[in-house]
Amino acid sequence: MADKRLAAASEENLFRIFTIPEAPDSTLARIEQEVSQNLDGFLRDNIVAVEKPLSEIEQDFQDSVVPEHPQFVSALADELLDKLVAQSVHTSSPSFIGHMTSALPYFLLPLSKLMVGLNQNLVKIETSKAFTPLERQVIGMLHRIAYGETRSTAENDSYYQSVMHSADTSLGAFCSGGTVANISALWIARNTLLGPDGDFKGVSKAGLFRAMSHYGYERLVVLVSERGHYSLGKAADVLGLGRQDIVSVKTDENNKICIDALEQRITELKAENAGILALVGVAGTTETGNIDPLDKMADIAEREGIHFHVDAAWGGATMMSNTQRPLLKGIERADSITVDAHKQMYVPMGAGMVLFKDAHSTDVIEHHAEYILRKGSKDLGSHTLEGSRPGMSMLVYACLKVMGRSGYEMLIDRSIDTAKYFAELIKQEEDFELVSEPELCLLTYRYVPKVVKDYMATCDAEQKQIINELLNDLTKFIQKKQRESGRSFVSRTRLTPKSHNGQTITVFRCVLANPLTTKEILADILAEQKEIAKESWRSLPAIMKKVACL
């Protein structure tokens, strides 16, 4: 039997696992067949709905000793089903609307298996061959979506034909996700700002201390709104700036960067002799989905000679919709753009990208080695932070070809329409409060009993603060209980909305990108939250009792 191939730790048996497929009646073969035929059904049958405490799950993974002897493949498959799959998260469920994950197109499953089987390494042509031009094409396609609208079709055709496969240029890079994409963009910005100058060889050779001394900077900073992603802090740490040099600029009531505050901060930083490494615009904040005024930020960056980077890890796919593209006005003026295909482009995790407006931007980070990435080669690794990485571009290519721009437009438009519908549904519910209106397909809200809402409209600031603290506890209770029930899921975050005088409140956060999420599911989620609220000792009676004592 194929599933007994490792019954003995012999050399012959060990080699067989690389060459002989599973028997058709083995556990592994059954899993593969069920996943291929009906992934959603397989997940619903095998992922346990009710949450198991992490402390209990950890008990299944306590053994730190590598097994001395091989085990049966079928036994391993059963173990994974019982201990791993059963306690995984059904991220493709249409009632899972708490994070930036979604259902995947069915055709990606067999293609993913093919990608894994080919096991290409995109760092060099010698281990990827056709995958290298494929990836360059995918980057070119998305670059044209981002930047090509300012040129005619003929000009675009000529431009991309000349640069897309050139060994001397790079329009962007695939990477594991938005964090590495943001680091890559700021890496280029740093090396450009602190580049070679006369006898000074530049920061990449001389180091940050000598570079800052040469240019006379007291500090280097990155400007971004207070809604900027936490990955920028990591980027600052890695690049030697320090997390305190990610300078946050306040946002307005719509969670967008305040242009006046940005102008003032730039003036202050210049007076402090700070080098402004980059200005980062956010196209789809993680918490509320809002988009900065990119066009106005581009004006400032252009005037001040600052690298303008747009973190569009979430909202970048919106460029595919002609209907919604105006929301991103100004993104085409960015020097670099982060886009995560594993978010709203519906491919599996691990498909981040960074695009560069100037195909020669990466010259400042180009690197070579004698055994690999030789000078003049078309190896992709010569312009990327990561070395070895898989051919995820194949899956993005497949989605672009199968769904096309019009298909993505329908998905993007539908997700935003769904978010707007949910926002209206929340407004109609007297026991809920919409906290942030959806601009893309994210929104935030919370449960507030009507009688409490009515009282808060008349009470003083001190009373409101006490009530909000109680509501924060109630929101956390509902969110945790709903997650544990396994029927549906929303996440939670903390915001300081102007409507609550800047007090920090805990809110439900919804991401409505899954095209399978229906209006009925959304109504059920609100109904479930109302029922859970009744269970909490911190619900209406407790709140009103506290209010009565104020």
Side-chain angles (χ1 to χ4, degrees), residues 160-190:
Y160 288 101
Q161 187 175 10
S162 66
V163 302
M164 203 157 62
H165 296 294
S166 171
D168 299 323
T169 58
S170 175
L171 295 172
F174 263 79
C175 48
S176 58
T179 295
V180 174
N182 283 339
I183 291 173
S184 300
L186 296 183
W187 181 22
I188 286 176
R190 188 200 67 172

Side-chain angles (χ1 to χ4, degrees), residues 440-456:
L440 296 177
C441 60
L442 271 74
L443 60 85
T444 61
Y445 68 102
R446 63 178 183 166
Y447 175 82
V448 184
K450 182 179 184 301
V451 64
V452 176
K453 195 185 301 183
D454 291 343
Y455 182 81
M456 291 182 75

Side-chain angles (χ1 to χ4, degrees), residues 336-405:
S336 53
I337 303 171
T338 287
V339 180
D340 272 351
H342 55 237
K343 290 187 169 76
Q344 287 196 92
M345 291 184 72
Y346 302 95
V347 298
M349 286 293 143
M353 285 172 281
V354 57
L355 307 174
F356 308 118
K357 184 175 186 177
D358 183 350
H360 287 282
S361 293
T362 55
D363 291 354
V364 297
I365 61 167
E366 188 172 311
H367 43 275
H368 303 283
E370 284 304 318
Y371 80 101
I372 187 178
L373 314 179
R374 299 176 186 90
K375 195 169 183 62
S377 76
K378 295 183 178 181
D379 293 338
L380 297 174
S382 61
H383 298 109
T384 60
L385 177 62
E386 293 170 300
S388 301
R389 53 187 182 79
M392 291 298 294
S393 54
M394 170 185 166
L395 304 185
V396 180
Y397 178 81
C399 284
L400 290 172
K401 297 286 279 189
V402 172
M403 294 191 283
R405 181 165 180 163

Side-chain angles (χ1 to χ4, degrees), residues 112-133:
S112 296
K113 183 177 180 179
L114 179 61
M115 184 194 76
V116 172
L118 287 169
N119 198 27
Q120 304 291 282
N121 182 356
L122 272 291
V123 70
K124 56 183 180 290
I125 292 174
E126 293 172 345
T127 55
S128 62
K129 204 171 183 181
F131 270 69
T132 292

Side-chain angles (χ1 to χ4, degrees), residues 212-257:
M212 291 180 65
S213 298
H214 174 82
Y215 283 99
Y217 292 131
E218 295 293 327
R219 62 188 292 210
L220 290 178
V221 302
V222 174
L223 283 161
V224 66
S225 88
E226 58 189 354
R227 293 277 168 243
H229 194 258
Y230 69 89
S231 64
L232 296 172
K234 292 191 285 185
D237 192 350
V238 169
L239 293 172
L241 275 65
R243 292 174 184 263
Q244 66 183 12
D245 290 318
I246 298 295
V247 178
S248 296
V249 180
K250 72 176 183 178
T251 54
D252 60 20
E253 65 276 6
N254 295 314
N255 300 293
K256 300 170 183 283
I257 195 169

